[in-house]
Amino acid sequence: MRYRRSHATISVFLVIWLLIGLLAAWQRGYLSRSNASCDRLGATALTIVAGPLNYVGANPAVKCVLPKPSQ
């Protein structure tokens, strides 16, 4: 019984954490479809995972270098 309650509490906490991260990504304009790139997609994902840390000074950034296709 106790295990289920703690599991539910952790699940609710995780959902709220990710929703706050989603809100931060939306406020930064990461969720628009324009200018999609590896850097932008990575920064969007990292912003969502960082959750509330975005509001206490975290500014996650990602630099991607994709290999060029051979010819």
Side-chain angles (χ1 to χ4, degrees):
M1 180 82 164
R2 183 173 251 207
Y3 173 75
R4 287 185 191 176
R5 192 175 319 160
S6 65
H7 184 68
T9 302
I10 291 170
S11 296
V12 168
F13 176 78
L14 183 61
V15 167
I16 291 171
W17 182 279
L18 293 174
L19 286 173
I20 292 170
L22 188 63
L23 177 65
W26 176 73
Q27 287 177 333
R28 291 180 179 178
Y30 291 161
L31 300 179
S32 66
R33 291 188 179 193
S34 64
N35 205 9
S37 67
C38 179
D39 292 344
R40 181 112 178 204
L41 294 174
T44 301
L46 195 56
T47 299
I48 292 170
V49 170
L53 298 177
N54 291 292
Y55 295 102
V56 293
N59 189 13
V62 175
K63 281 291 186 190
C64 296
V65 178
L66 296 176
K68 303 235 188 262
S70 60
Q71 294 183 1

